[in-house]
Amino acid sequence: MTAPRKSASRRTGRSAGGLKRLLRLRRSRHDGISDTLWSRILRTSLYAQSLNAPDRQRLREIANRLLHTKSFSGAAGLVVTNAMRARIALHACLPILNLGLDYYADWSSIVIYPGDFRVHDEYMDEHGVVHREIMDLCGQSLSHGPMVLSWEAMRYEDDAPDDHDLVIHECAHKLDVLNGDANGFPPLHPDMDVREWSRDFQTAYDRFRATLGAEADPGIDPYASEDPAEFFAVLSETFFTAPHRVNEKFPTVYKHLQRFYRQDPCRCLSRESP
Ligand SMILES: [Zn+2]
């Protein structure tokens, strides 16, 4: 990269400083997220705001790369804007900030509906009986296929932030299926213990289901009790939106998520503002 830049400088006779400014300008033109838009979408994630400056810059770079590698399309008449694409890219890149964009290499498109969308599901139970269901969903991750999202759900999160993050939830499913079925068991790093992960997640999941209903405020979205895959997806979104809740309720699981995502949102969010 260095040599062509130098030769360009010689040909045009520009000073080194002038060339740097020109390269910066060119880069910013190719940058899918303008400074103004970046500041705006950063406000949709407390955790992203709490990252230090170098990490925020890395997040922006990965988000830009995601915008170039994934296609975005609107369904049911929705016109997808740059702001929508950028907002989704920022949230999608939070879980892989320290993992890399390659973790999303097996899928390529994001479909956005204006609101909830209807799907027809068919599955066979353990007795061989086929069930057909019609469901209204706000998000869906098809294995190796598109990620489907409701824009209304994302707008709701931005207007009234809480522990929900639809994009992170669906991205957690994408990570989960990298090594097979959606079962709350993503491909762990070599320095992680598979048996400890399975044991601690199963214990937490069983305890959550057993105590659900007994507590006035379960602290975690009850949807986590659906199955182990949803437990992992809900805890992942809570890990990045309200990490103290995961740490207080399931400290062992928090540590596993911390090691898997290679991030510590509790520490970042509790850091005092400079
Ligand atoms: Zn889910």
Side-chain angles (χ1 to χ4, degrees):
M1 288 299 284
T2 310
R5 284 180 189 173
K6 278 181 181 165
S7 66
S9 174
R10 279 199 297 274
R11 276 201 306 273
T12 58
R14 288 188 178 95
S15 68
L19 180 66
K20 275 182 189 163
R21 273 195 298 279
L22 178 69
L23 289 170
R24 257 201 306 273
L25 186 64
R26 280 188 184 157
R27 264 203 298 273
S28 70
R29 279 178 185 156
H30 291 294
D31 189 327
I33 308 175
S34 68
D35 290 346
T36 312
L37 182 55
W38 180 250
S39 303
R40 214 170 89 203
I41 58 172
L42 208 51
R43 289 200 287 270
T44 66
S45 168
L46 268 180
Y47 175 55
Q49 292 169 55
S50 77
L51 294 171
N52 61 34
D55 283 348
R56 276 203 310 276
Q57 182 55 32
R58 274 194 315 111
L59 178 65
R60 183 171 172 174
E61 286 164 10
I62 299 174
N64 268 313
R65 281 169 49 213
L66 183 135
L67 288 173
H68 285 105
T69 53
K70 308 290 179 214
S71 72
F72 289 71
S73 55
L78 183 77
V79 176
V80 179
T81 64
N82 267 346
M84 290 176 182
R85 287 157 29 95
R87 190 267 184 216
I88 292 168
L90 180 148
H91 287 251
C93 291
L94 281 172
I96 54 154
L97 179 63
N98 292 334
L99 300 178
L101 198 52
D102 282 352
Y103 273 73
Y104 293 158
D106 69 324
W107 56 280
S108 60
S109 61
I110 296 173
V111 179
I112 312 157
Y113 277 83
D116 285 2
F117 48 93
R118 183 155 289 186
V119 297
H120 296 256
D121 191 29
E122 188 176 295
Y123 67 94
M124 188 183 288
D125 67 19
E126 66 270 29
H127 307 293
V129 179
V130 175
H131 298 264
R132 292 185 180 85
E133 282 182 344
I134 296 175
M135 299 179 291
D136 288 326
L137 304 177
C138 63
Q140 187 182 40
S141 281
L142 299 169
S143 193
H144 309 294
M147 178 180 292
V148 191
L149 303 165
S150 152
W151 180 244
E152 185 184 39
M154 288 179 267
R155 285 190 59 177
Y156 186 80
E157 286 171 6
D158 296 347
D159 290 344
D162 56 11
D163 57 345
H164 289 94
D165 194 307
L166 175 64
V167 175
I168 293 180
H169 180 107
E170 297 306 329
C171 286
H173 283 315
K174 287 290 191 191
L175 298 173
D176 186 355
V177 298
L178 281 176
N179 55 353
D181 294 337
N183 53 10
F185 176 65
L188 304 184
H189 308 303
D191 63 341
M192 296 180 71
D193 191 309
V194 171
R195 277 176 305 181
E196 281 181 13
W197 173 287
S198 303
R199 181 197 63 208
D200 295 339
F201 264 83
Q202 188 65 48
T203 303
Y205 175 65
D206 291 342
R207 207 181 83 210
F208 186 65
R209 281 169 64 97
T211 56
L212 199 60
E215 298 169 296
D217 177 12
I220 306 284
D221 184 347
Y223 188 58
S225 67
E226 283 282 306
D227 56 48
E230 295 304 341
F231 189 69
F232 170 67
V234 169
L235 259 65
S236 291
E237 64 179 307
T238 314
F239 180 75
F240 289 107
T241 51
H244 293 93
R245 289 193 201 173
V246 181
N247 199 24
E248 280 160 22
K249 202 163 180 74
F250 304 117
T252 319
V253 166
Y254 181 92
K255 284 203 165 50
H256 286 305
L257 291 172
Q258 186 187 341
R259 295 180 73 189
F260 174 65
Y261 288 113
R262 294 174 172 154
Q263 298 185 62
D264 188 356
C266 267
R267 189 178 55 82
C268 281
L269 282 163
S270 58
R271 207 165 33 206
E272 283 185 11
S273 302

